[in-house]
Amino acid sequence: MKKSMLLAAIVVAALSWPADTFAQGWLGKLKDKALEKAKEKVEAKVENAIEGNEVDDSDVQEEVVEEPADDTPDADAQAQKSDFKRGAVVLFEDSFAGEQMGEFPSKWDPVDGSAETASVNGVKYLNGTTDYDRMQPMMKNMQSYLPEVFTLEWDVFISKQGELGQSIIEPEFFDAENNQIGNIEFTWRSDDAGSWLQWSFRKPNSDDDIGGANYDGVARLLKKGQWNHFAVSFNKRALKYYINNVRLINLPNVAAPASLKFFSNGDYKYRGFGNVILAKGGVDLYERNTTDVSAIEKAIQETGMFVTNNILFETGKATLKAESMAEIQKVADFMKKNPGVRFEVQGHTDNQGSDAVNDPLSQQRAESVIKALEGMGCDPFNLRAVGKGSHEPVADNKTEQGRAKNRRVVFVKK
């Protein structure tokens, strides 16, 4: 009876490792070594059993499923690893709430495999339906849309304790020529034995890769039978990866991606992702808790004005979008710190539409910004709205990138 249970343990240990999709290069070698080590432990138990030595079930469990060490970081260290901040400008967002159950999610494009809208714990999500599923968000330029500073967030439902199986969710990153330059593989099992991270990224302007693995610090962060929050923050060359707001990967120098895809596989009935948010902006490259001059202060000291493209409005309207408030709050904080400063708030548009429309629209948008600042405690006496329309472009209006730069708000010190 005990020998049969031991042999079954060997089979479970062998099957718990993912398919050889990721068993390439040095990452594959890491898995092979770990698998070999696990096999050696179990084979030793089998040998003891064959020779007549006593082996009980609890002994096998202790060897095959190791409990993580009790090395939870202290409060200060934990706070340092919880520095994620969502970017101010949302570029893509999908909660899947409006999707029809069983249908392919409308904001996604399949690269490999297929998917359907599913639901667990009352939350809809994209669930992979084949052995290997790879999905990309529908963007205007499918091969180049990631800014140099961005954040990416998504949720994963982690299986309940005792459910057998294993699944992978992996964001993959590509350059403008659609060459994969990075990936972060998150693998989980409900018994914690197979919950880990592995990653590999191309270095800037190089064919060399940098990679790593974390087999010990993942399981303790996961909430079983619940939705768990994952995030990536990228700033020019620095990449960070978080699970439930705890940073697990911190790479200071990797190649900048231009697009992304989500890969999934496994044998749980739920092995997809939900609540995806891609945003422009994020944590400063090396954010310091010091009295360094803020970006607004620096701009005003050097140029006498602060220019921002992060204050956004509804198309053709003067209605501020919610993601604009973070930027306006920065200006409000500056004005409260400097109560004597006076600003001319200039609204600028691109050249889409006539002057008869753009001129009053830019004036109304500048007035909306002042109203928001007043609501944040700023004295409206120190603010004056001026609509500039499309008459003072700073970039070529023939391209979308140029028009985006021209749609701006400028705070000119008076």
Side-chain angles (χ1 to χ4, degrees):
M1 177 65 179
K2 295 183 183 294
K3 293 180 183 179
S4 299
M5 293 181 69
L6 285 168
L7 290 173
I10 294 175
V11 173
V12 172
L15 291 177
S16 69
W17 293 85
D20 60 359
T21 304
F22 304 99
Q24 299 177 3
W26 75 274
L27 286 178
K29 294 178 182 178
L30 274 176
K31 286 185 179 178
D32 292 340
K33 289 180 180 179
L35 178 57
E36 187 62 31
K37 184 177 179 181
K39 286 183 178 178
E40 287 175 359
K41 290 181 179 181
V42 180
E43 287 170 356
K45 296 300 177 182
V46 175
E47 185 176 350
N48 287 335
I50 293 173
E51 291 176 357
N53 297 329
E54 184 65 23
V55 180
D56 61 24
D57 297 340
S58 62
D59 193 18
V60 175
Q61 183 72 5
E62 287 175 2
E63 292 293 339
V64 178
V65 184
E66 297 180 357
E67 293 295 329
D70 185 15
D71 58 353
T72 303
D74 60 28
D76 289 339
Q78 192 82 352
Q80 292 174 3
K81 293 186 177 182
S82 301
D83 60 347
F84 179 82
K85 294 181 181 179
R86 178 181 297 171
V89 181
V90 175
L91 303 176
F92 177 89
E93 183 173 6
D94 195 358
S95 67
F96 303 94
E99 300 292 342
Q100 184 175 343
M101 292 289 292
E103 295 296 328
F104 192 95
S106 60
K107 294 184 180 181
W108 294 83
D109 182 44
V111 180
D112 295 305
S114 187
E116 65 183 12
T117 302
S119 175
V120 60
N121 281 15
V123 177
K124 290 184 179 180
Y125 68 104
L126 182 154
N127 192 51
T129 57
T130 68
D131 290 340
Y132 301 98
D133 303 300
R134 185 171 280 107
M135 305 293 151
Q136 59 185 345
M138 297 285 286
M139 307 294 287
K140 289 183 178 180
N141 183 348
M142 296 291 283
Q143 289 188 256
S144 184
Y145 53 82
L146 293 178
E148 64 176 7
V149 182
F150 69 86
T151 58
L152 172 67
E153 299 170 76
W154 68 99
D155 292 339
V156 175
F157 186 82
I158 301 300
S159 52
K160 299 177 181 178
Q161 191 75 28
E163 290 183 319
L164 297 179
Q166 178 173 287
S167 288
I168 294 171
I169 294 292
E170 174 182 354
E172 302 172 332
F173 299 94
F174 298 80
D175 63 18
E177 285 72 45
N178 204 34
N179 301 308
Q180 186 172 335
I181 59 173
N183 68 290
I184 307 171
E185 174 192 325
F186 164 66
T187 302
W188 81 95
R189 281 177 39 174
S190 61
D191 59 6
D192 291 343
S195 300
W196 66 75
L197 285 175
Q198 291 186 149
W199 60 90
S200 180
F201 280 88
R202 186 71 46 82
K203 291 184 177 181
N205 304 313
S206 172
D207 292 331
D208 296 333
D209 294 335
I210 182 172
N214 186 330
Y215 293 103
D216 300 322
V218 177
R220 66 173 59 89
L221 298 176
L222 301 179
K223 303 172 184 177
K224 301 301 177 59
Q226 300 181 45
W227 285 96
N228 289 244
H229 194 62
F230 294 72
V232 167
S233 176
F234 187 84
N235 191 321
K236 299 180 182 178
R237 57 181 173 79
L239 182 141
K240 300 178 180 181
Y241 179 98
Y242 307 78
I243 296 179
N244 290 327
N245 204 36
V246 176
R247 190 180 69 234
L248 293 176
I249 302 175
N250 191 1
L251 304 178
N253 194 31
V254 300
S259 65
L260 65 92
K261 300 177 178 68
F262 277 98
F263 172 86
S264 66
N265 82 336
D267 52 8
Y268 283 127
K269 62 182 179 181
Y270 24 74
R271 54 176 183 82
F273 51 88
N275 196 29
V276 180
I277 301 176
L278 172 65
K280 179 181 178 181
V283 180
D284 291 343
L285 188 56
Y286 289 106
E287 191 170 48
R288 298 177 175 87
N289 294 321
T290 67
T291 55
D292 290 345
V293 178
S294 72
I296 296 176
E297 289 172 327
K298 184 177 180 181
I300 292 173
Q301 287 176 2
E302 294 179 353
T303 67
M305 66 179 67
F306 172 63
V307 182
T308 177
N309 299 100
N310 293 333
I311 297 178
L312 306 177
F313 302 85
E314 299 291 342
T315 302
K317 300 179 181 179
T319 305
L320 285 161
K321 289 188 175 181
E323 56 264 35
S324 303
M325 295 307 167
E327 190 82 343
I328 296 175
Q329 184 65 60
K330 294 178 184 178
V331 178
D333 292 342
F334 171 82
M335 294 189 71
K336 292 175 184 177
K337 184 179 178 181
N338 301 273
V341 72
R342 301 186 69 184
F343 278 136
E344 178 178 278
V345 182
Q346 299 179 351
H348 295 261
T349 69
D350 58 29
N351 69 345
Q352 303 299 292
S354 66
D355 291 343
V357 172
N358 287 333
D359 288 353
L361 178 61
S362 63
Q363 176 70 28
Q364 293 162 9
R365 287 180 169 179
E367 292 170 355
S368 293
V369 172
I370 290 179
K371 185 176 181 180
L373 287 168
E374 184 178 359
M376 294 175 179
C378 297
D379 187 349
F381 176 79
N382 292 327
L383 297 162
R384 183 169 72 94
V386 176
K388 294 286 187 176
S390 62
H391 304 291
E392 298 179 7
V394 294
D396 191 348
N397 274 306
K398 294 180 180 179
T399 67
E400 174 55 36
Q401 292 84 355
R403 290 192 294 272
K405 291 181 180 179
N406 289 332
R407 296 190 296 268
R408 65 197 191 278
V409 176
V410 181
F411 297 85
V412 181
K413 184 179 178 183
K414 294 296 183 177

